[in-house]
Amino acid sequence: MRAVRAELAKLGTLPSVWLAAALALVVPTGIALLNRGVPGPDRGYQELAFGVMGVIVLGVVAVSSEYLTEGADAGGGRQLTTSLTAVPSRVRFLAAKAGAVVLVAVPLAFAATAATMAIVHVTLAERAAALDAGRLAGVVCYWTYTALLAFAITVLLRHGVVPLTVLLVNTSVVSVTFLLTKFTPLAYYFPDMAGMRMFVGRIGDDGVVIPPLLGLLVMSAWVAGLLVLAAAVFTRRDA
Amino acid sequence: MCSSRPVASLGGVITIDGLVKRRGGKEILAGVGFEARPGRVTGFLGPNGAGKSSTLRILLGLDRAHSGTALVDGVPYGRLADPVRTVGAVLDGSGAHRSRTGRAHLRWVARSAGLPPSRIDEVLALVGLTDAAGRRVGRYSLGMGRRLALATALLGDPSVLILDEPLNGLDPEGIRFVRTFLRERARSGRTVLLSSHLMGELAETVDDVVVIDHGRIVARGTLAEVTGTHRNLEDAFFALTSGSGR
C-alpha cells in the first residue's frame, strides 16, 4: 500500500494530471451545455462517451512522466530509475501505479457523470431520459477502463506523444474505430466501440447490436489483455 | 591514502561476480566481478563506455545480466526487504520529473518507503537545497539536480551508497562537497561505491580501486596496490586502459 500512496502522491503533484481532471469535467459538461434543448434517449451518455479525454490524459501521463528524459544539460536522467530503486518489484510498481490511476479515474468519472446529468436534467427538465443505475455504472466503468487502456499502451510504447495523439483524436476529431465499422463489423468489437454499449443505446447506423453486458465483457477482455501484455514486457526489459 | 576501521554492524557488502551483458550482439560486460566493502570508498574507474553504468544498473536491478550475480548483503537488489533503507543510488541527472518541486519529489520517495516526512527537511538541509525545495526541478541547475539526487539517495539513511559519475557537471565547490561527504559516509562504517572516468579527482577520495575497460576488470585492489609503481592513479589508469580509444 505504501507503493500506491507514493503513486497517488506522484499523480497529485503532476500539473498534467490536474489538466486531465479539468478536461474530464469540462468536456462532457461543455458538450451537454451545447446540446441543451435537444432531447434523446442517449442525452448525457453520449457527452460522457466523448468526455473520456480527461482519463486518457491521466492514463498516459501517469506512465509517460516516468520515461520523460531530462535534457542533456540536466544530466539526462529519468524518474523511472528512482521509482524502480524505491520499489524494485516491477509487478508491484506497475500494479501500484495502475491502482492509483483507478483511484483517481473513478471519482473523476462520478463527478463528471453527476455534473453532466445535472445539466441534462436542468436543461431538458421532463424531456430528459430517466436515470438508470446500470447505465451510470457503465459510464464509470468505461472511463476507468479507458484510463487503464491508455496506461497499458503507454507502458508498451514508453512515450506519451503517440498514444495521447491517437487516443485523443480517436475520441474527438475522427473516430477511426467508428469509421472502420463501415468496412468490417468486427470493428464494433474495438474496446471503445464495445465499451460504449454499456451505456449508449445506438451508435451510428448500428450494423451490429451488442448488448451492454457483452460490451462490458469485450472491453474487460481488451483491458485485461493489454495490462497483462504490458506487465510481461515491462518485467522483461531493461528499465 | 585513507585507512578506515571496519564496522561490522551496518552490513552493506556489495559482491559482484561474473556479470555478462550483451546488447545488440556486442558483449558490453564480459565477466565483471569485484567487491565493495563497508567503511571504504570504492572507486569504479574506466573510460566512457567501458561498462561502469551497465554494471551499476544491473546491481540496482534496473537492467538484467545474461549471467552472473550482483548482490547486496548476499541478496539481489530486487529481493532486499527494505531497499530505500539499505541502498541509496545516484544515477543520471536528478532522477526527478521536471514539473514537480524538489520537495514533492522527495515526498513520494519517502512515502514509498514509509519514511517519516521529517527526513525530507533533514536531507534537504544536508545537501544544501532547503531554499530551492519549493522550486520545480526543471528550473534547477545541473549541480542542484545532482544534489537532489543525492538527497533522494540519503532519505533512508542507507548503509550503501552507489553513485554513477557523481562529480560530473559539478563546480569545484560541489566536487569538494561530494568528496568530503563520501569520505564521512565511509568513516561512519558505510559502503560507498562510485564510478568515474575522472582519475585526478578521485585519488584523494577512494580507498579501493576497481578499473574496468571494454567490459573487463583490468585491475582491482587498494589505491596503493593499483597505483603500483606508477607515479599516480592517473598514470596507472592510462597504462591499464591504453588503446581504449580515448
Side-chain angles (χ1 to χ4, degrees):
Chain A
M1 282 310 97
R2 293 193 318 209
V4 178
R5 293 186 60 220
E7 291 303 327
L8 280 174
K10 281 184 193 171
L11 291 180
T13 50
L14 211 53
S16 42
V17 167
W18 290 98
L19 172 74
L23 274 178
L25 295 175
V26 169
V27 173
T29 52
I31 304 175
L33 280 173
L34 291 175
N35 286 340
R36 68 183 178 275
V38 188
D42 288 335
R43 200 73 289 135
Y45 296 102
Q46 266 170 352
E47 287 82 347
L48 287 160
F50 283 114
V52 285
M53 291 171 197
V55 286
I56 289 174
V57 175
L58 169 70
V60 169
V61 299
V63 178
S64 64
S65 60
E66 296 285 344
Y67 285 101
L68 182 74
T69 308
E70 298 172 88
D73 53 342
R78 289 184 311 180
Q79 184 183 280
L80 186 65
T81 56
T82 312
S83 298
L84 288 178
T85 45
V87 181
S89 160
R90 305 275 171 106
V91 173
R92 195 171 145 242
F93 167 73
L94 216 54
K97 200 177 249 318
V101 166
V102 169
L103 287 175
V104 175
V106 168
L108 272 181
F110 268 106
T113 306
T116 306
M117 287 308 176
I119 288 169
V120 169
H121 279 259
V122 167
T123 54
L124 291 180
E126 70 280 2
R127 286 185 299 162
L131 289 178
D132 177 315
R135 293 175 86 187
L136 295 175
V139 172
V140 175
C141 184
Y142 182 70
W143 277 43
T144 311
Y145 274 177
T146 303
L148 288 176
L149 218 53
F151 173 92
I153 293 170
T154 314
V155 171
L156 291 169
L157 296 177
R158 287 183 276 189
H159 204 282
V161 173
V162 171
L164 203 56
T165 312
V166 170
L167 293 172
L168 286 183
V169 166
N170 190 58
T171 54
S172 55
V173 188
V174 192
S175 176
V176 178
T177 45
F178 175 68
L179 289 179
L180 280 174
T181 64
K182 307 286 178 200
F183 297 100
T184 165
L186 282 179
Y188 281 106
Y189 294 90
F190 271 113
D192 56 332
M193 297 302 288
M196 266 180 223
R197 304 294 184 143
M198 290 188 274
F199 54 93
V200 173
R202 282 184 64 83
I203 297 174
D205 18 310
D206 258 346
V208 173
V209 175
I210 298 174
L213 205 58
L214 182 60
L216 169 68
L217 288 176
V218 171
M219 195 174 187
S220 302
W222 276 99
V223 171
L226 278 166
L227 281 176
V228 167
L229 181 65
V233 169
F234 187 68
T235 48
R236 275 164 187 75
R237 84 184 156 207
D238 286 347
Chain B
M1 198 193 85
C2 315
S3 64
S4 312
R5 60 207 145 77
V7 179
S9 59
L10 282 172
V13 180
I14 296 172
T15 321
I16 295 175
D17 190 29
L19 282 189
V20 174
K21 170 90 180 165
R22 288 178 215 100
R23 196 173 284 149
K26 195 174 158 251
E27 202 165 56
I28 52 174
L29 298 179
V32 167
F34 63 90
E35 201 174 73
R37 287 175 291 142
R40 302 182 74 81
V41 177
T42 304
F44 186 30
L45 313 181
N48 287 329
K52 302 186 297 292
S53 295
S54 294
T55 303
L56 298 185
R57 289 179 66 87
I58 290 168
L59 175 58
L60 292 165
L62 295 169
D63 289 1
R64 236 162 275 276
H66 287 89
S67 59
T69 53
L71 310 173
V72 178
D73 286 335
V75 292
Y77 189 86
R79 269 194 256 136
L80 287 173
D82 204 345
V84 174
R85 283 190 179 83
T86 313
V87 177
V90 178
L91 298 177
D92 296 327
S94 67
H97 192 281
R98 61 174 168 230
S99 53
R100 224 175 256 123
T101 64
R103 183 183 297 281
H105 174 72
L106 292 168
R107 200 179 294 131
W108 75 252
V109 179
R111 263 190 206 177
S112 76
L115 296 167
S118 57
R119 272 304 285 166
I120 296 168
D121 287 318
E122 287 171 29
V123 293
L124 281 168
L126 203 57
V127 302
L129 269 185
T130 304
D131 292 339
R135 265 157 66 190
R136 291 197 177 175
V137 174
R139 292 218 175 129
Y140 282 13
S141 67
L142 176 57
M144 288 163 79
R146 303 298 284 159
R147 281 168 187 259
L148 179 62
L150 185 59
T152 312
L154 294 170
L155 266 176
D157 193 21
S159 49
V160 177
L161 264 188
I162 296 169
L163 310 97
D164 195 9
E165 301 277 2
L167 306 179
N168 264 13
L170 294 186
D171 54 20
E173 188 201 349
I175 291 175
R176 189 180 163 78
F177 166 77
V178 169
R179 281 210 301 228
T180 315
F181 182 80
L182 296 181
R183 287 258 30 103
E184 277 168 16
R185 290 299 283 187
R187 201 171 299 123
S188 65
R190 293 172 170 88
T191 309
V192 178
L193 171 62
L194 76 156
S195 78
S196 184
H197 67 282
L198 304 166
M199 301 315 114
E201 305 291 357
L202 274 180
E204 298 165 42
T205 313
V206 299
D207 303 301
D208 296 323
V209 178
V210 179
V211 183
I212 185 172
D213 190 30
H214 290 300
R216 281 170 213 282
I217 302 297
V218 292
R220 64 183 159 190
T222 63
L223 181 63
E225 285 166 0
V226 172
T227 307
T229 55
H230 296 281
R231 195 159 48 92
N232 53 34
L233 179 61
E234 192 164 8
D235 283 2
F237 175 80
F238 283 115
L240 287 161
T241 63
S242 59
S244 56
R246 271 176 315 279

